[in-house]
């Protein structure tokens, strides 16, 4: 277990270091944004004295490095700051938005991950035959179309023409689970189509790579059926790359939903971020960027750890 624990500890330490570096990049990126925060809050008619007072109140006159460490210290204490435009505590505002985004991502992942693995196995089982070609054609088409276009097409066909679901995915705490699922049906469909194709093709590629191994040929010579060879021998040995691609797409479901949330007016983190970018509310943009980065890095770290634990050469060293 020594090498495994060492590698896991290294991955965790590297992830924390990467998150620290990303926080510095996020802070620097928001500083160099064009425009004046004080001017955007007070408007064009504000007097120079009022602008100067607000800049002093917000600490904008302090050196950037001191503002960064002050912001970072607040984050370590669980304080994400206060929104400039509304005066509300960012942590409390983000709480409900983040839960909505995770709710949407959960249901999209619950459908897309098992379906992608199943289609990948099916494609390998019928390699170069019509099921494989049909699945590949559909997934390639899905990859090639931007998600916002898929969203608008489904909105027009399913919501406007057929009237099965609402075109606006608004949810609140007073709704039942069934009502929430009905409201998010369209964005879940879009997210499933977007991530399904990538996961399915990577699952297919990983299993086909394993199928070229000598022990697969041995299993076939023993008389095992093609499905048993894939299920019992190929798939378990392709877990590491499959987990990696699944984690990357789960990260996308949380971090990359900005476009989908804007298209369907969904009250999640993406919509919250876009609303405050337009208002140049720097503390909110910084907080949202850091949370997105933390989710993405954490899921990638988890994928690395699973890959390490699933490596038999590390689990059973000579």
């Amino acid at each position: 277990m020594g090498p495994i624990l060492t590698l896991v500890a290294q991955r965790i330490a590297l992830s924390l270091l990467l998150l620290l570096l990303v926080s510095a990049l996020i802070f620097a990126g928001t500083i160099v944004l064009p425009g004046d925060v004080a001017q955007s809050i007070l408007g064009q008619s504000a007097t120079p004295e009022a602008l100067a007072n607000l800049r002093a109140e917000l600490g904008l006159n302090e050196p950037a490095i001191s503002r960064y460490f002050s912001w970072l210290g607040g984050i370590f204490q669980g304080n994400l700051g206060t929104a400039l435009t509304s005066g509300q505590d960012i942590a409390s505002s983000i709480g409900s938005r983040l839960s909505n985004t995770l709710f949407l991502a959960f249901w999209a992942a619950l459908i897309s991950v098992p379906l992608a693995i199943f289609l990948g196995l099916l494609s390998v089982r019928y390699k170069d035959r019509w099921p494989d070609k049909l699945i590949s054609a559909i997934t390639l088409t899905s990859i090639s179309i931007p998600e916002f276009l898929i969203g608008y097409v489904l909105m027009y066909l399913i919501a406007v023409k057929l009237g099965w679901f609402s075109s606006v995915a608004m949810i609140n705490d007073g709704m039942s689970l069934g009502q929430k699922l009905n409201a998010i049906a369209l964005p879940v469909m879009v997210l499933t189509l977007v991530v399904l194709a990538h996961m399915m093709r990577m699952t297919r590629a990983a299993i086909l790579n394993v199928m070229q191994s000598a022990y697969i040929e041995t299993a076939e010579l023993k008389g095992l059926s093609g499905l048993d060879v894939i299920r019992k021998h190929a798939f378990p040995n392709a877990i590491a790359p499959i987990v990696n691609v699944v984690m990357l797409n789960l990260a996308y479901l949380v971090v990359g939903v900005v476009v989908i949330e804007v298209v369907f007016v969904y009250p999640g983190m993406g919509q919250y971020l876009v609303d405050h970018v337009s208002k140049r509310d720097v503390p909110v943009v910084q907080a949202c960027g850091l949370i997105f980065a933390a989710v993405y890095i954490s899921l990638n770290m988890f994928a690395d750890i699973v890959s390490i634990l699933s490596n038999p050469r590390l689990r059973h060293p000579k």
Side-chain angles (χ1 to χ4, degrees):
M1 291 297 290
I4 292 181
L5 292 177
T6 301
L7 286 172
V8 169
Q10 287 177 350
R11 291 297 186 276
I12 294 173
L14 286 173
S15 297
L16 293 174
L17 178 61
L18 180 59
L19 184 59
L20 183 63
L21 294 175
V22 169
S23 72
L25 288 175
I26 290 171
F27 189 86
T30 53
I31 286 178
V32 299
L33 286 174
D36 184 358
V37 176
Q39 189 81 63
S40 64
I41 295 174
L42 297 179
Q44 297 297 325
S45 59
T47 63
E49 292 80 10
L51 291 173
N53 290 335
L54 183 58
R55 290 191 191 101
E57 182 182 343
L58 297 176
L60 299 178
N61 296 328
E62 298 177 11
I65 188 68
S66 64
R67 280 189 284 152
Y68 169 69
F69 283 112
S70 176
W71 173 66
L72 198 62
I75 290 171
F76 285 136
Q77 297 174 6
N79 178 20
L80 295 177
T82 304
L84 299 180
T85 52
S86 63
Q88 295 179 344
D89 180 62
I90 296 175
S92 59
S93 300
I94 280 180
S96 61
R97 297 282 188 151
L98 181 59
S99 65
N100 287 344
T101 293
L102 293 176
F103 180 75
L104 178 63
F106 169 79
W107 287 102
L110 192 65
I111 297 171
S112 60
V113 173
L115 186 58
I117 294 175
F118 170 75
L119 290 177
L121 294 172
L122 188 66
S123 188
V124 171
R125 175 65 181 85
Y126 296 100
K127 181 177 179 292
D128 295 330
R129 293 161 66 179
W130 72 264
D132 179 30
K133 293 178 180 178
L134 177 62
I135 293 171
S136 296
I138 294 173
T139 53
L140 280 173
T141 303
S142 176
I143 290 173
S144 305
I145 302 175
E147 58 262 40
F148 73 88
L149 182 57
I150 297 175
Y152 284 126
V153 169
L154 290 182
M155 187 186 296
Y156 176 75
L157 294 176
I158 297 178
V160 177
K161 286 296 184 181
L162 299 176
W164 290 351
F165 302 108
S166 172
S167 60
V168 178
M170 292 297 296
I171 65 172
N172 56 67
D173 294 336
M175 299 171 69
S176 65
L177 178 60
Q179 291 173 325
K180 289 182 178 180
L181 292 178
N182 183 271
I184 67 170
L186 281 180
V188 165
M189 287 181 195
V190 176
L191 289 172
T192 298
L193 287 173
V194 170
V195 301
L196 176 68
H198 188 215
M199 286 192 291
M200 174 267 156
R201 292 189 64 80
M202 290 302 295
T203 299
R204 179 182 183 275
I207 296 175
L208 285 177
N209 185 53
V210 172
M211 291 290 285
Q212 299 174 4
S213 303
Y215 60 85
I216 296 296
E217 185 177 352
T218 303
E220 291 173 342
L221 291 174
K222 288 181 177 179
L224 293 177
S225 66
L227 187 59
D228 282 339
V229 170
I230 294 171
R231 181 172 57 87
K232 294 180 179 179
H233 298 279
F235 180 69
N237 288 284
I239 283 292
I242 292 174
V243 167
N244 270 297
V245 74
V246 167
M247 288 299 111
L248 284 173
N249 282 277
L250 289 181
Y252 170 81
L253 287 176
V254 178
V255 178
V257 296
V258 176
V259 173
I260 301 302
E261 290 186 358
V262 171
V263 168
F264 291 100
V265 201
Y266 184 74
M269 283 282 291
Q271 182 70 55
Y272 184 67
L273 173 61
V274 170
D275 289 344
H276 287 80
V277 165
S278 62
K279 299 173 184 176
R280 209 180 183 282
D281 199 327
V282 174
V284 174
V285 175
Q286 290 171 340
C288 291
L290 188 63
I291 290 173
F292 282 146
V295 170
Y296 192 86
I297 292 171
S298 298
L299 288 173
N300 277 274
M301 179 187 69
F302 179 77
D304 285 343
I305 292 174
V306 170
S307 298
I308 292 170
L309 296 177
S310 63
N311 190 332
R313 287 174 294 183
L314 293 175
R315 286 187 283 110
H316 307 288
K318 293 181 180 180

